[in-house]
Amino acid sequence: MRKIILLALGLLLIQCTSVKKHNETLYKEIKVKQLHKDVDYAYKKLQKMQPKLYQYISKEKLDYKFDSLKASITKPLTSYDFFTKLSPVVSEVRQGHLFTYPKLKRYSKKEQKNLKKQISSFSQFEFEIFDNKLYVVENKSKIDSIKIGDELTQINNEPVQNLINDAKTWITSDGYNTTFQDKFIAQRLGTFFTFKYQIQDSVAFQFNNDKSFWIKRINKDTVSNKTSKKKNEKFTKVQRDSLIKVNRRLSKLGYNKDTKKYNRELTFIAKDSCTAIMKIKSFTIGNYNSFYKENFDLLKKTGTKNLIIDIRNNFGGRIDEISSLYSYLAPDSTYTFVNESEVTRKTSLLQTDYFKGSKPVSFIVKGILSPFFYSYMFFKVHKKEDGNYYFNSNAKEKKSSDLRFNGNVYVLINGGSFSASSILSTKLKANKRAIFVGEETGGEYNGTVAGFMPQITLPNSKVKMRIGLMYVNAQEKTDVIGHGIYPNVTIIPSLNDRLNNNDPELNYILEDIKNKSKLELEE
C-alpha cells in the first residue's frame, strides 16, 4: 500500500511538473531552423495521410505555398505566431475537416475537473453573423439587459471583426463554398477566442448600444441531478423503473445536460398529424436507432403526409446514423449509401487515434482488443485497378426499412449543414426524394475527407493538425465541383427575422404544403 501511495504521488508530481513545463513554453520563441522543420513535417504528413490533397489546389501551387511559408519565417516565433502563419496555408487545401490547432495551455486534473463544471462566457449566448456583423440571437446568461439583436462589437477592447477575420484564415469549407465560414465561426466563437487568448475566467463584451459587461464563467446548474447523486439514497422498484425509462427516453433524443436541449426531436404542426418536423442538431449523441424506429413507426400509424427534416447548423457526425435515417426515406427497397472510401495507402488507417479519450478501464480493454482492431483496419484496405487504395466499410447494399416513409419530404439546409448532413442531402437530392429550402450546404455535394481524423503534433512548435484519412462520398455526383447541395428554393433569413422570431424557410414550406393541399381538394 505504501508503494502504491508513493507511486501515485510520484505520477501526480510528474504530471504537475509536465503541465508547468508545458505552460512555461507557451510564449517562448522557437528557432527558425526548428520552425522550418515543422513546415516540412506538416507537409509530409499531409502528403502521406490526406486523400484528395490536390483536389482543389494543384501540387505545384501547394508546393509553392509551403516553400513561401518557409521563406517568410526569417526570425524566431512563438508557437501561436507560427500557428497563424501555418494555418492559412493548410486551409488552402480546402478540405473542411482538415484543421490546425495552436498550442494551448494545459491544466492539472483538478483544474480540468473544475472547468468541466463551468459554462464559458461565450456558451452563455448564441450568435449569428449578418452582413459581416455579429449579433446575439439567444441569451442564456443571467444578464437580462442583453437583448436579441444586440451587436457584439468588441471583446476585451478588441474589435470582434479582428477575431472573425483571423478565424476565416484558419478554417475552410469543402471546396469553394462561401456559406460555411460565417455559420461555423458564430457557433464556435469561444473556441477561436481561446486560440488567441487561452481560457479566461471572465471576458469583457461591448455592444453597439454602448452596453458593456464582464461575462464570467459560471457553474453549471446541477440542481436537477442532485437527487440521483445523493449517496446511499434508496429507490423503490417503481422509482428505479421510472428512472430507467426516463434515461432511455433522454438517450433516444440525445439530451444535452449542459444546454438542457434535445439533439433530435419530432413534433407535429397540427392536431391532425398531417405534417411533422424532425429537427436533428447533429448526428452524434443519442440512441438514434431507437429514435428513428419509434418515430417513423409513429408517422406510419398517424398517416402523416409531409415530413420536414431540419438539419440547419448540423455540422455532421456518424455515417451509420445518416445511413440509418436514409433507410426510412430511400425511394427503393434497397440502396448503397456510400462508395468505398479512398485512402492514401495500405497502412493509412493504422494511424487513427485508437486510444484517444480512453479512461483506465477502457484503455486496458482497448489494449487487449488492439491486435484485432489494427488487423481489421489493415486487411479491410485493398488496392484497386486504378492504383488507389480503398477501405470497404459502409459500401454495401442495404435494405430499406419496412417503416419507409412514402409521403412528401422537405429538408431545411444552410451553410452550417456540413459533413454527414451534406452526404445525406446528396442522397436525397440526387434521388429526387426531397425538396430543399434554405441556402447552399457547407459540405461538398461530391464528398468529403473525414472518417477517422487523428491529430498529429508538430515536433517543435507543438501545433496540431487534424487530418481526415478517408474520402467519404456517395455514388451520386454533380459536375459542379467544390460546392454544396443547392436548395430548390433559396431563402436566407435576416436579422429582422430573428428579432421577430420568424422562420422564413419553415414558413415557406408550411405555405407550400397548404397550397398543395388546397389543389388536391379542388381536384
Side-chain angles (χ1 to χ4, degrees):
M1 181 61 69
R2 184 182 175 186
K3 288 181 179 179
I4 292 173
I5 292 172
L6 288 173
L7 178 61
L9 289 172
L11 291 172
L12 181 63
L13 182 62
I14 291 171
Q15 184 203 34
C16 292
T17 304
S18 175
V19 168
K20 183 180 179 182
K21 187 176 180 180
H22 172 90
N23 293 339
E24 286 175 348
T25 62
L26 276 176
Y27 305 105
K28 183 179 179 181
E29 290 188 335
I30 304 163
K31 294 179 181 178
V32 172
K33 188 176 181 180
Q34 291 177 312
L35 295 175
H36 284 180
K37 286 182 178 180
D38 273 11
V39 173
D40 291 336
Y41 185 88
Y43 196 19
K44 285 178 182 177
K45 282 294 183 181
L46 286 174
Q47 292 172 317
K48 186 177 180 180
M49 299 168 67
Q50 174 86 25
K52 302 292 182 183
L53 181 61
Y54 306 111
Q55 185 175 16
Y56 303 117
I57 184 172
S58 68
K59 184 178 186 303
E60 291 74 22
K61 286 185 178 179
L62 194 57
D63 286 348
Y64 175 77
K65 286 185 179 294
F66 272 94
D67 289 341
S68 297
L69 172 60
K70 281 179 67 176
S72 71
I73 301 173
T74 57
K75 61 180 182 180
L77 300 172
T78 65
S79 179
Y80 174 77
D81 289 336
F82 175 68
F83 158 79
T84 62
K85 284 180 168 289
L86 174 67
S87 189
V89 175
V90 173
S91 291
E92 290 292 335
V93 177
R94 294 187 176 278
Q95 293 285 356
H97 292 86
L98 176 60
F99 201 77
T100 314
Y101 300 85
K103 182 179 181 180
L104 296 173
K105 183 180 179 181
R106 284 183 185 171
Y107 295 89
S108 66
K109 285 187 176 181
K110 183 178 179 180
E111 289 172 327
Q112 291 176 37
K113 191 175 180 180
N114 288 332
L115 286 173
K116 286 178 181 179
K117 293 178 181 178
Q118 299 173 344
I119 300 174
S120 74
S121 305
F122 292 91
S123 296
Q124 296 171 48
F125 303 89
E126 285 190 15
F127 300 100
E128 200 165 347
I129 294 174
F130 295 100
D131 298 324
N132 217 32
K133 295 180 180 180
L134 188 76
Y135 296 91
V136 175
V137 293
E138 185 176 350
N139 179 7
K140 297 174 281 188
S141 76
K142 296 180 180 179
I143 305 174
D144 295 333
S145 54
I146 298 176
K147 304 298 182 182
I148 305 302
D150 282 352
E151 181 194 348
L152 182 59
T153 57
Q154 293 191 53
I155 304 175
N156 284 2
N157 296 319
E158 181 181 354
V160 169
Q161 196 59 54
N162 291 353
L163 182 59
I164 293 174
N165 291 340
D166 286 340
K168 285 185 176 181
T169 69
W170 300 338
I171 65 168
T172 179
S173 63
D174 288 336
Y176 313 112
N177 166 281
T178 58
T179 64
F180 174 70
Q181 283 184 314
D182 281 354
K183 297 292 188 297
F184 191 75
I185 291 169
Q187 292 271 329
R188 300 285 193 271
L189 189 69
T191 299
F192 297 119
F193 176 84
T194 302
F195 280 5
K196 289 190 76 170
Y197 303 110
Q198 306 296 324
I199 294 175
Q200 297 189 8
D201 291 331
S202 59
V203 181
F205 282 8
Q206 186 171 326
F207 298 90
N208 61 325
N209 46 19
D210 293 328
K211 289 190 289 190
S212 184
F213 305 91
W214 279 98
I215 312 297
K216 298 180 180 179
R217 298 179 67 88
I218 58 174
N219 289 326
K220 294 175 182 176
D221 182 13
T222 55
V223 174
S224 58
N225 298 323
K226 284 182 179 179
T227 304
S228 59
K229 290 185 177 181
K230 286 180 181 177
K231 291 183 178 180
N232 304 320
E233 183 172 8
K234 294 182 179 179
F235 293 99
T236 65
K237 185 178 184 304
V238 173
Q239 288 174 322
R240 281 198 304 271
D241 291 344
S242 177
L243 189 59
I244 289 170
K245 286 181 181 179
V246 169
N247 287 335
R248 283 177 180 169
R249 181 67 183 166
L250 293 178
S251 175
K252 270 187 251 185
L253 299 172
Y255 183 68
N256 187 318
K257 292 180 180 178
D258 295 339
T259 62
K260 294 181 173 55
K261 292 182 179 180
Y262 299 106
N263 187 50
R264 57 182 73 79
E265 53 188 331
L266 182 80
T267 55
F268 289 95
I269 293 297
K271 291 181 179 179
D272 60 5
S273 302
C274 183
T275 300
I277 302 177
M278 183 177 287
K279 184 172 180 61
I280 310 168
K281 294 181 180 178
S282 75
F283 296 110
T284 51
I285 61 173
N287 185 349
Y288 63 87
N289 278 322
S290 296
F291 176 83
Y292 295 131
K293 184 177 180 180
E294 176 185 301
N295 284 288
F296 278 99
D297 182 42
L298 178 62
L299 294 177
K300 192 168 188 176
K301 288 176 179 177
T302 54
T304 302
K305 295 180 181 180
N306 306 291
L307 175 62
I308 303 167
I309 300 175
D310 187 352
I311 50 173
R312 290 172 293 184
N313 294 322
N314 181 326
F315 294 128
R318 300 171 287 204
I319 290 291
D320 287 342
E321 177 168 351
I322 56 173
S323 178
S324 174
L325 174 54
Y326 186 74
S327 72
Y328 294 94
L329 302 167
D332 303 313
S333 58
T334 60
Y335 67 96
T336 301
F337 193 65
V338 290
N339 292 319
E340 291 182 309
S341 300
E342 184 180 335
V343 297
T344 57
R345 60 191 64 211
K346 179 74 173 175
T347 57
S348 281
L349 301 185
L350 302 184
Q351 300 176 78
T352 185
D353 289 335
Y354 176 61
F355 290 97
K356 185 178 179 181
S358 299
K359 293 182 179 179
V361 175
S362 61
F363 185 89
I364 293 170
V365 173
K366 281 187 174 182
I368 296 170
L369 297 176
S370 61
F372 302 99
F373 173 81
Y374 285 112
S375 296
Y376 177 82
M377 289 297 166
F378 180 79
F379 289 111
K380 272 290 183 178
V381 174
H382 58 280
K383 192 174 186 178
K384 282 191 172 183
E385 293 179 357
D386 62 3
N388 296 320
Y389 290 90
Y390 294 88
F391 176 64
N392 184 4
S393 56
N394 285 292
K396 299 175 183 176
E397 186 175 86
K398 299 179 181 181
K399 288 185 178 181
S400 300
S401 172
D402 294 335
L403 299 171
R404 194 157 37 122
F405 181 76
N406 295 314
N408 302 314
V409 179
Y410 295 83
V411 181
L412 289 163
I413 54 172
N414 66 4
S417 305
F418 184 69
S419 191
S421 293
S422 291
I423 295 171
L424 174 66
S425 297
T426 295
K427 296 293 293 186
L428 295 172
K429 183 76 181 288
N431 290 292
K432 296 183 171 67
R433 189 61 189 92
I435 296 172
F436 287 77
V437 178
E439 68 175 348
E440 178 191 353
T441 63
E444 234 258 58
Y445 186 112
N446 290 334
T448 187
V449 177
F452 296 106
M453 295 182 285
Q455 287 185 11
I456 64 106
T457 303
L458 306 188
N460 300 300
S461 63
K462 304 306 176 185
V463 168
K464 294 183 179 181
M465 287 196 310
R466 183 186 69 186
I467 303 177
L469 301 180
M470 301 160 57
Y471 177 54
V472 184
N473 61 104
Q475 291 181 322
E476 297 80 3
K477 294 289 185 290
T478 179
D479 294 332
V480 182
I481 306 301
H483 281 279
I485 293 83
Y486 290 109
N488 299 93
V489 180
T490 299
I491 299 176
I492 300 173
S494 65
L495 175 61
N496 195 51
D497 288 319
R498 296 293 181 258
L499 290 170
N500 293 298
N501 197 27
N502 180 46
D503 190 335
E505 304 104 297
L506 179 59
N507 291 341
Y508 171 85
I509 293 174
L510 296 178
E511 187 64 26
D512 188 60
I513 291 171
K514 184 180 177 181
N515 291 335
K516 287 179 179 177
S517 296
K518 283 182 179 179
L519 288 174
E520 288 177 4
L521 289 173
E522 290 174 1
E523 291 175 358

